[in-house]
Amino acid sequence: MLEYAKAKQSQHYWIGMLAALFCLVMGAIQPVLAQPVLERDNSTQAVAAGSAAGTKLPLLIPARHFAERSPFQSPQLSPNGDRISFLRDIGGQNEIALADPVTGQSFRSVLIPDGPTIINYQWISNDAIFIRALVRFRDKNRLYTGARALYVASASTGQVIKLVADPFLAHDAVPIWFDDAGRTALIAHPNKKDVDYPSVYQYDLQSGQMVGRVQQMITGITSWKADTAGTLRLGIGWHKGRQKVWYRSNAAAEMTQIADLPRGDLRALNGIAQIKAGSDQGVVMKRAKAGAPIGLHRYDFAQKRVTDTLYQHPQWDIDRILSQEDNIAGVGFTDSSRRIVWLDADMKAVTAQLKSALGGSGTAVIVQARSKDSQRMLIRAGNAADPGVLYFFDRAKSNMAELAQYRPKLDFRALAQPRPISYQARDGTKIHGYLTLPKGREPKKLALIIMPHGGPYGVRDTLTYNDRVQFLANRGYAVIQPNYRGSGGYGKAFYDLGIGEVGRGMQDDIDDAMDWAVNKGLADPKRVCVVGGSYGGYAAMWAVLRNPERYVCAASWAGVSDWTSQLRQEARFLTRYDKNRFRERVEGANNFNLASVSPTRFASRLNRPLLLVHGTRDGIVPFSQFEKMVEASKDAPIPPTAVTVPAGRHSFRNERDQQEWFDALDSFLAKHNPADQLDAAGKLRVAPDDELDSMFKPLVIEKPVQN
């Protein structure tokens, strides 16, 4: 039996208890990596332990505890389930750490020479790991921080081999197929002669050498698909507003164009999930009829028709496919949250049992990874007000053990519950978003933070845990996350409403979120700030320049300040198709002057406090965007507060960058838009370190000694 003697020392006792009960039902329990954790109180009125008697206000949690990272970032399992892998930061460099999921013993780590930032990775065999990374590259005396590189690494030796030597070509490189042994890959990418559309090449993953070209580029084809045996079968893309589809029935046949369809044609395909080897049968994502959401269908490529529907939601497009080997196990869609529908009966049954065991309807249970036979899984349980717990589940042994808490020093009882909202924009468009109200405060005339997401196009916020939202709510702010026009997940018509509306209609939607909150009585119109990162950082800058009468301040992390130079930066890496498509989105049909919505042009009139924070190694929005804004606003009535993060990246991949942002934002807001969360002596009430440090600490696998 599991030992519960120290159960009260950790904040997720009930999760641990429920997991244990689940395993008791399934069979014998054998503890693996962690003891169960501290008693869980799901009451929305609960406050942090140790808060002052008689008050409902939660303790102010130190910013560093929101910035802290679990060592288990991007966890995955090897196909046989014998190795767990995860990303971790070591002295500013990230690496892939490998360990035994049962014993917790370190196996080794994979560190790429020259310190690139790993974007994502995947196991392609029990030994081979395919890696996509962000690299710094100098070309013609210009330093690029947004270039890409592809690597393959051996889990057994730690050896790393670089693929696709030119980082500009690797930017658009896409793996098409891997053999089961992880020795051969088909990778689509442009070449130096044909830079606009990708050809397909075969690579030897043991040497890193290109074996040869499998398919020459075809104008208009941006995506290629191989069948389940590795034969290249189909190409698809858009050219001059028409969808082109090229197809062949087998390896001996020539590629032939089978479709040339105008945009909006119901015969158009939205994605290819699978083509079965030795047949013309496959699985595609498409609309079955006009006005219908995108569904998952069986499809006959020779007859060009749907033969069966595997899944169709009545309202929402499917936006992802969950597959294991050749088996399509499930689909995903997004309403207020990300949802999974399992088509595989076994996975449907086991996830239902897990959900029941790990918290019921209030807890999202996500299968983060699973072995090829689905006998070993990594399970995450949490919700929008709880950063969650990572478990290792061994079905064969009927054993589930906690690996880590994602924010080990955060007491979820002090966190606030976000909720979906909708409001009408000034032109009548319905805008969806999320509202988080601070705990223990009357929801009237609160200081408000509007926090637009990045992107901007095709991206959206969802009802999931967010460090930045919880950090601000804990300080006493109401937070609105508006999914402004152009955001993804609400259909093509809503997506297209964002065309040409950067700094205009999209900004109106942000302003209208403020009006909604003020009219509801939730927000004090004199205490509203806009805070965001990337495009959200741009929107924050633009808010206090475009409408200074509305906002008391703004704060930007890695925001775009000059659209013309940002588009030039994008163009250096994108194919002509992608470059033109993005420019058309931003500029719109009338190609409006982007300088008219660029903060640098109007920076000299800045008369509201503005916080600018930017990393010097940002590969998405270059540091020069920060420098341009600082220079342009140096003589403004109120020059910005400028904070440089040395070697900082675009997103918060490590806790140091997140900490820099939180510390700067904390001080800035306390000065320019305080939420007035004070104790009886007029001081901020911060949770004592000794109290927080006594909470459960997750397993930390030490850096192994390399052979």
Side-chain angles (χ1 to χ4, degrees), residues 285-328:
M285 298 165 62
K286 72 182 302 293
R287 301 183 193 279
K289 61 182 180 179
I294 296 171
L296 190 70
H297 310 277
R298 296 193 192 279
Y299 191 82
D300 188 307
F301 288 99
Q303 298 182 32
K304 293 178 284 189
R305 69 181 184 89
V306 169
T307 59
D308 187 22
T309 295
L310 296 175
Y311 181 80
Q312 177 77 68
H313 193 279
Q315 183 177 359
W316 303 102
D317 293 343
I318 60 168
D319 51 26
R320 57 202 176 280
I321 307 295
L322 288 78
S323 59
Q324 191 84 316
E325 297 299 308
D326 297 336
N327 176 43
I328 295 177

Short mmCIF file of all heavy atoms in Angstrom, two decimals, residues 285-328:
data_model
loop_
_atom_site.label_atom_id
_atom_site.label_comp_id
_atom_site.label_asym_id
_atom_site.label_seq_id
_atom_site.Cartn_x
_atom_site.Cartn_y
_atom_site.Cartn_z
N MET A 285 -9.72 15.71 -43.70
CA MET A 285 -10.50 16.71 -42.99
C MET A 285 -11.14 17.62 -44.04
O MET A 285 -10.44 18.17 -44.89
CB MET A 285 -9.59 17.53 -42.06
CG MET A 285 -8.91 16.72 -40.98
SD MET A 285 -7.53 17.62 -40.19
CE MET A 285 -8.39 19.02 -39.46
N LYS A 286 -12.45 17.75 -44.00
CA LYS A 286 -13.14 18.61 -44.95
C LYS A 286 -14.55 18.91 -44.47
O LYS A 286 -15.04 18.30 -43.52
CB LYS A 286 -13.16 18.00 -46.36
CG LYS A 286 -14.10 16.82 -46.52
CD LYS A 286 -14.04 16.23 -47.92
CE LYS A 286 -14.36 17.20 -49.03
NZ LYS A 286 -15.76 17.65 -49.05
N ARG A 287 -15.20 19.84 -45.17
CA ARG A 287 -16.61 20.14 -44.90
C ARG A 287 -17.48 19.21 -45.75
O ARG A 287 -17.27 19.09 -46.95
CB ARG A 287 -16.92 21.60 -45.22
CG ARG A 287 -16.07 22.57 -44.42
CD ARG A 287 -16.44 24.01 -44.70
NE ARG A 287 -15.43 24.91 -44.16
CZ ARG A 287 -15.34 25.29 -42.89
NH1 ARG A 287 -16.25 24.85 -42.02
NH2 ARG A 287 -14.38 26.09 -42.49
N ALA A 288 -18.45 18.60 -45.11
CA ALA A 288 -19.32 17.68 -45.83
C ALA A 288 -20.37 18.41 -46.66
O ALA A 288 -20.83 17.92 -47.68
CB ALA A 288 -19.99 16.71 -44.87
N LYS A 289 -20.76 19.61 -46.21
CA LYS A 289 -21.75 20.40 -46.93
C LYS A 289 -21.58 21.87 -46.56
O LYS A 289 -20.86 22.21 -45.60
CB LYS A 289 -23.17 19.93 -46.59
CG LYS A 289 -23.53 20.04 -45.11
CD LYS A 289 -24.94 19.52 -44.85
CE LYS A 289 -25.30 19.64 -43.36
NZ LYS A 289 -26.68 19.16 -43.10
N ALA A 290 -22.21 22.73 -47.30
CA ALA A 290 -22.08 24.17 -47.07
C ALA A 290 -22.50 24.53 -45.65
O ALA A 290 -23.56 24.09 -45.18
CB ALA A 290 -22.92 24.94 -48.08
N GLY A 291 -21.68 25.30 -44.98
CA GLY A 291 -21.99 25.74 -43.63
C GLY A 291 -21.64 24.75 -42.54
O GLY A 291 -21.73 25.08 -41.35
N ALA A 292 -21.26 23.53 -42.92
CA ALA A 292 -20.92 22.51 -41.93
C ALA A 292 -19.51 22.73 -41.40
O ALA A 292 -18.63 23.20 -42.12
CB ALA A 292 -21.04 21.12 -42.54
N PRO A 293 -19.28 22.40 -40.14
CA PRO A 293 -17.90 22.46 -39.62
C PRO A 293 -17.02 21.42 -40.32
O PRO A 293 -17.51 20.47 -40.94
CB PRO A 293 -18.08 22.14 -38.14
CG PRO A 293 -19.52 22.35 -37.85
CD PRO A 293 -20.24 22.02 -39.11
N ILE A 294 -15.72 21.58 -40.17
CA ILE A 294 -14.77 20.61 -40.73
C ILE A 294 -14.86 19.33 -39.91
O ILE A 294 -14.78 19.34 -38.68
CB ILE A 294 -13.34 21.17 -40.69
CG1 ILE A 294 -13.23 22.40 -41.59
CG2 ILE A 294 -12.33 20.12 -41.11
CD1 ILE A 294 -11.92 23.14 -41.44
N GLY A 295 -15.07 18.21 -40.61
CA GLY A 295 -15.17 16.91 -39.96
C GLY A 295 -14.08 15.97 -40.45
O GLY A 295 -13.26 16.33 -41.32
N LEU A 296 -14.06 14.76 -39.92
CA LEU A 296 -13.11 13.73 -40.32
C LEU A 296 -13.85 12.66 -41.11
O LEU A 296 -14.82 12.09 -40.63
CB LEU A 296 -12.45 13.11 -39.09
CG LEU A 296 -11.25 12.20 -39.36
CD1 LEU A 296 -10.06 13.02 -39.85
CD2 LEU A 296 -10.87 11.42 -38.10
N HIS A 297 -13.36 12.39 -42.33
CA HIS A 297 -14.09 11.51 -43.24
C HIS A 297 -13.15 10.52 -43.92
O HIS A 297 -12.00 10.84 -44.20
CB HIS A 297 -14.79 12.33 -44.33
CG HIS A 297 -15.60 13.47 -43.82
ND1 HIS A 297 -16.89 13.33 -43.36
CD2 HIS A 297 -15.30 14.79 -43.68
CE1 HIS A 297 -17.36 14.50 -42.96
NE2 HIS A 297 -16.40 15.41 -43.15
N ARG A 298 -13.68 9.33 -44.21
CA ARG A 298 -12.99 8.42 -45.12
C ARG A 298 -13.20 8.95 -46.53
O ARG A 298 -14.27 9.44 -46.88
CB ARG A 298 -13.54 7.00 -45.00
CG ARG A 298 -13.31 6.38 -43.62
CD ARG A 298 -13.57 4.87 -43.66
NE ARG A 298 -13.63 4.32 -42.33
CZ ARG A 298 -12.56 4.01 -41.58
NH1 ARG A 298 -11.35 4.22 -42.09
NH2 ARG A 298 -12.71 3.51 -40.37
N TYR A 299 -12.15 8.78 -47.36
CA TYR A 299 -12.17 9.43 -48.67
C TYR A 299 -11.54 8.52 -49.71
O TYR A 299 -10.51 7.87 -49.45
CB TYR A 299 -11.39 10.75 -48.58
CG TYR A 299 -11.54 11.67 -49.76
CD1 TYR A 299 -12.64 12.51 -49.87
CD2 TYR A 299 -10.56 11.71 -50.75
CE1 TYR A 299 -12.77 13.38 -50.95
CE2 TYR A 299 -10.68 12.57 -51.83
CZ TYR A 299 -11.79 13.41 -51.92
OH TYR A 299 -11.92 14.27 -52.99
N ASP A 300 -12.15 8.45 -50.88
CA ASP A 300 -11.61 7.71 -52.02
C ASP A 300 -10.95 8.71 -52.96
O ASP A 300 -11.65 9.53 -53.59
CB ASP A 300 -12.72 6.94 -52.73
CG ASP A 300 -12.18 5.99 -53.80
OD1 ASP A 300 -11.43 6.46 -54.67
OD2 ASP A 300 -12.54 4.80 -53.76
N PHE A 301 -9.63 8.69 -53.05
CA PHE A 301 -8.91 9.67 -53.87
C PHE A 301 -9.10 9.43 -55.36
O PHE A 301 -9.05 10.38 -56.15
CB PHE A 301 -7.42 9.67 -53.51
CG PHE A 301 -7.13 10.26 -52.17
CD1 PHE A 301 -6.94 9.45 -51.06
CD2 PHE A 301 -7.06 11.63 -51.99
CE1 PHE A 301 -6.68 9.99 -49.81
CE2 PHE A 301 -6.81 12.19 -50.75
CZ PHE A 301 -6.61 11.36 -49.65
N ALA A 302 -9.30 8.19 -55.75
CA ALA A 302 -9.52 7.90 -57.17
C ALA A 302 -10.88 8.45 -57.62
O ALA A 302 -11.00 9.03 -58.70
CB ALA A 302 -9.43 6.40 -57.43
N GLN A 303 -11.90 8.28 -56.77
CA GLN A 303 -13.24 8.75 -57.12
C GLN A 303 -13.51 10.18 -56.62
O GLN A 303 -14.53 10.78 -56.95
CB GLN A 303 -14.28 7.80 -56.53
CG GLN A 303 -14.19 6.38 -57.08
CD GLN A 303 -15.27 5.48 -56.51
OE1 GLN A 303 -16.39 5.93 -56.21
NE2 GLN A 303 -14.97 4.20 -56.36
N LYS A 304 -12.59 10.68 -55.79
CA LYS A 304 -12.68 12.05 -55.26
C LYS A 304 -14.00 12.29 -54.54
O LYS A 304 -14.72 13.24 -54.79
CB LYS A 304 -12.47 13.07 -56.38
CG LYS A 304 -11.07 13.05 -56.96
CD LYS A 304 -10.92 14.05 -58.09
CE LYS A 304 -11.56 13.53 -59.35
NZ LYS A 304 -11.26 14.36 -60.52
N ARG A 305 -14.29 11.39 -53.59
CA ARG A 305 -15.55 11.53 -52.84
C ARG A 305 -15.42 10.94 -51.44
O ARG A 305 -14.60 10.04 -51.19
CB ARG A 305 -16.69 10.85 -53.58
CG ARG A 305 -16.61 9.35 -53.64
CD ARG A 305 -17.79 8.75 -54.40
NE ARG A 305 -17.76 7.29 -54.38
CZ ARG A 305 -18.33 6.55 -53.44
NH1 ARG A 305 -18.98 7.14 -52.43
NH2 ARG A 305 -18.27 5.23 -53.49
N VAL A 306 -16.24 11.46 -50.54
CA VAL A 306 -16.33 10.94 -49.17
C VAL A 306 -17.10 9.63 -49.20
O VAL A 306 -18.17 9.53 -49.83
CB VAL A 306 -17.03 11.95 -48.25
CG1 VAL A 306 -17.37 11.33 -46.90
CG2 VAL A 306 -16.16 13.19 -48.06
N THR A 307 -16.57 8.61 -48.52
CA THR A 307 -17.27 7.32 -48.46
C THR A 307 -17.88 7.06 -47.08
O THR A 307 -18.76 6.22 -46.96
CB THR A 307 -16.30 6.18 -48.80
OG1 THR A 307 -15.21 6.19 -47.87
CG2 THR A 307 -15.76 6.33 -50.22
N ASP A 308 -17.40 7.78 -46.06
CA ASP A 308 -17.91 7.55 -44.71
C ASP A 308 -17.46 8.71 -43.83
O ASP A 308 -16.44 9.34 -44.09
CB ASP A 308 -17.38 6.22 -44.15
CG ASP A 308 -18.01 5.84 -42.82
OD1 ASP A 308 -19.13 6.33 -42.54
OD2 ASP A 308 -17.40 5.08 -42.06
N THR A 309 -18.23 9.00 -42.80
CA THR A 309 -17.86 10.04 -41.84
C THR A 309 -17.45 9.40 -40.52
O THR A 309 -18.22 8.63 -39.93
CB THR A 309 -19.03 11.02 -41.60
OG1 THR A 309 -19.31 11.71 -42.82
CG2 THR A 309 -18.69 12.03 -40.52
N LEU A 310 -16.23 9.73 -40.08
CA LEU A 310 -15.72 9.18 -38.83
C LEU A 310 -16.12 10.04 -37.64
O LEU A 310 -16.42 9.53 -36.57
CB LEU A 310 -14.19 9.07 -38.90
CG LEU A 310 -13.64 8.10 -39.95
CD1 LEU A 310 -12.12 8.18 -39.99
CD2 LEU A 310 -14.10 6.67 -39.65
N TYR A 311 -16.08 11.37 -37.83
CA TYR A 311 -16.51 12.27 -36.76
C TYR A 311 -16.90 13.62 -37.34
O TYR A 311 -16.19 14.17 -38.18
CB TYR A 311 -15.43 12.48 -35.71
CG TYR A 311 -15.90 13.39 -34.59
CD1 TYR A 311 -16.70 12.90 -33.57
CD2 TYR A 311 -15.57 14.74 -34.58
CE1 TYR A 311 -17.18 13.73 -32.56
CE2 TYR A 311 -16.04 15.58 -33.57
CZ TYR A 311 -16.85 15.07 -32.57
OH TYR A 311 -17.33 15.89 -31.59
N GLN A 312 -18.03 14.12 -36.87
CA GLN A 312 -18.50 15.45 -37.29
C GLN A 312 -19.15 16.12 -36.08
O GLN A 312 -20.16 15.64 -35.57
CB GLN A 312 -19.52 15.32 -38.42
CG GLN A 312 -20.12 16.63 -38.87
CD GLN A 312 -19.17 17.43 -39.73
OE1 GLN A 312 -18.87 17.04 -40.85
NE2 GLN A 312 -18.69 18.55 -39.20
N HIS A 313 -18.58 17.22 -35.60
CA HIS A 313 -19.20 17.97 -34.52
C HIS A 313 -20.25 18.89 -35.14
O HIS A 313 -20.04 19.45 -36.21
CB HIS A 313 -18.16 18.78 -33.75
CG HIS A 313 -18.68 19.33 -32.46
ND1 HIS A 313 -19.45 20.48 -32.40
CD2 HIS A 313 -18.55 18.89 -31.17
CE1 HIS A 313 -19.77 20.72 -31.14
NE2 HIS A 313 -19.25 19.77 -30.37
N PRO A 314 -21.38 19.07 -34.49
CA PRO A 314 -22.43 19.91 -35.08
C PRO A 314 -22.07 21.40 -35.14
O PRO A 314 -22.68 22.14 -35.91
CB PRO A 314 -23.63 19.68 -34.16
CG PRO A 314 -23.05 19.19 -32.87
CD PRO A 314 -21.83 18.42 -33.25
N GLN A 315 -21.09 21.84 -34.32
CA GLN A 315 -20.80 23.27 -34.27
C GLN A 315 -19.35 23.64 -34.53
O GLN A 315 -19.07 24.67 -35.15
CB GLN A 315 -21.19 23.81 -32.89
CG GLN A 315 -21.03 25.32 -32.72
CD GLN A 315 -21.48 25.80 -31.36
OE1 GLN A 315 -21.95 25.01 -30.53
NE2 GLN A 315 -21.36 27.10 -31.12
N TRP A 316 -18.40 22.80 -34.08
CA TRP A 316 -17.00 23.19 -34.10
C TRP A 316 -16.19 22.39 -35.11
O TRP A 316 -16.39 21.19 -35.28
CB TRP A 316 -16.38 23.01 -32.71
CG TRP A 316 -17.09 23.78 -31.65
CD1 TRP A 316 -17.98 23.30 -30.74
CD2 TRP A 316 -17.00 25.19 -31.41
NE1 TRP A 316 -18.45 24.29 -29.93
CE2 TRP A 316 -17.86 25.48 -30.32
CE3 TRP A 316 -16.28 26.23 -31.98
CZ2 TRP A 316 -18.02 26.76 -29.81
CZ3 TRP A 316 -16.43 27.51 -31.48
CH2 TRP A 316 -17.28 27.77 -30.41
N ASP A 317 -15.23 23.07 -35.76
CA ASP A 317 -14.28 22.40 -36.63
C ASP A 317 -13.37 21.50 -35.80
O ASP A 317 -12.95 21.88 -34.69
CB ASP A 317 -13.37 23.41 -37.35
CG ASP A 317 -14.10 24.28 -38.35
OD1 ASP A 317 -15.23 23.92 -38.75
OD2 ASP A 317 -13.54 25.32 -38.75
N ILE A 318 -13.03 20.32 -36.32
CA ILE A 318 -11.95 19.57 -35.69
C ILE A 318 -10.64 20.29 -36.05
O ILE A 318 -10.49 20.82 -37.15
CB ILE A 318 -11.92 18.10 -36.12
CG1 ILE A 318 -11.74 17.95 -37.64
CG2 ILE A 318 -13.17 17.37 -35.68
CD1 ILE A 318 -11.43 16.53 -38.06
N ASP A 319 -9.72 20.33 -35.12
CA ASP A 319 -8.48 21.07 -35.36
C ASP A 319 -7.22 20.26 -35.10
O ASP A 319 -6.11 20.77 -35.21
CB ASP A 319 -8.44 22.37 -34.53
CG ASP A 319 -8.75 22.14 -33.05
OD1 ASP A 319 -8.50 21.02 -32.55
OD2 ASP A 319 -9.23 23.09 -32.40
N ARG A 320 -7.37 18.97 -34.75
CA ARG A 320 -6.20 18.12 -34.60
C ARG A 320 -6.62 16.66 -34.66
O ARG A 320 -7.77 16.31 -34.39
CB ARG A 320 -5.45 18.42 -33.31
CG ARG A 320 -6.26 18.30 -32.04
CD ARG A 320 -5.62 19.11 -30.91
NE ARG A 320 -6.41 19.11 -29.70
CZ ARG A 320 -7.47 19.88 -29.49
NH1 ARG A 320 -7.91 20.68 -30.44
NH2 ARG A 320 -8.12 19.85 -28.34
N ILE A 321 -5.64 15.84 -35.04
CA ILE A 321 -5.84 14.39 -35.15
C ILE A 321 -4.89 13.71 -34.18
O ILE A 321 -3.71 14.06 -34.09
CB ILE A 321 -5.53 13.89 -36.58
CG1 ILE A 321 -6.33 14.69 -37.62
CG2 ILE A 321 -5.80 12.40 -36.70
CD1 ILE A 321 -7.81 14.50 -37.54
N LEU A 322 -5.40 12.74 -33.42
CA LEU A 322 -4.57 11.95 -32.52
C LEU A 322 -4.36 10.59 -33.16
O LEU A 322 -5.32 9.82 -33.32
CB LEU A 322 -5.23 11.80 -31.15
CG LEU A 322 -5.26 13.05 -30.26
CD1 LEU A 322 -6.35 14.01 -30.70
CD2 LEU A 322 -5.46 12.65 -28.81
N SER A 323 -3.13 10.31 -33.54
CA SER A 323 -2.86 9.05 -34.21
C SER A 323 -1.69 8.34 -33.54
O SER A 323 -0.82 8.96 -32.94
CB SER A 323 -2.56 9.27 -35.69
OG SER A 323 -1.44 10.12 -35.85
N GLN A 324 -1.70 7.03 -33.66
CA GLN A 324 -0.64 6.19 -33.12
C GLN A 324 -0.32 5.17 -34.20
O GLN A 324 -1.16 4.33 -34.53
CB GLN A 324 -1.10 5.50 -31.84
CG GLN A 324 0.00 4.80 -31.06
CD GLN A 324 0.74 5.76 -30.16
OE1 GLN A 324 1.07 6.86 -30.58
NE2 GLN A 324 1.00 5.36 -28.93
N GLU A 325 0.90 5.29 -34.76
CA GLU A 325 1.26 4.47 -35.90
C GLU A 325 0.25 4.71 -37.03
O GLU A 325 0.05 5.84 -37.43
CB GLU A 325 1.31 2.99 -35.49
CG GLU A 325 2.37 2.69 -34.44
CD GLU A 325 3.78 3.00 -34.89
OE1 GLU A 325 4.18 2.53 -35.98
OE2 GLU A 325 4.48 3.74 -34.18
N ASP A 326 -0.42 3.68 -37.50
CA ASP A 326 -1.39 3.84 -38.58
C ASP A 326 -2.82 3.98 -38.07
O ASP A 326 -3.77 4.03 -38.86
CB ASP A 326 -1.32 2.64 -39.54
CG ASP A 326 0.03 2.53 -40.23
OD1 ASP A 326 0.71 3.57 -40.33
OD2 ASP A 326 0.40 1.42 -40.64
N ASN A 327 -2.98 4.04 -36.76
CA ASN A 327 -4.31 4.09 -36.17
C ASN A 327 -4.69 5.51 -35.79
O ASN A 327 -4.00 6.16 -34.99
CB ASN A 327 -4.36 3.19 -34.92
CG ASN A 327 -5.69 3.29 -34.20
OD1 ASN A 327 -6.74 3.29 -34.82
ND2 ASN A 327 -5.63 3.38 -32.88
N ILE A 328 -5.78 6.01 -36.37
CA ILE A 328 -6.31 7.31 -35.97
C ILE A 328 -7.18 7.07 -34.75
O ILE A 328 -8.28 6.53 -34.84
CB ILE A 328 -7.09 7.97 -37.11
CG1 ILE A 328 -6.13 8.28 -38.26
CG2 ILE A 328 -7.78 9.24 -36.63
CD1 ILE A 328 -6.79 8.87 -39.47
#
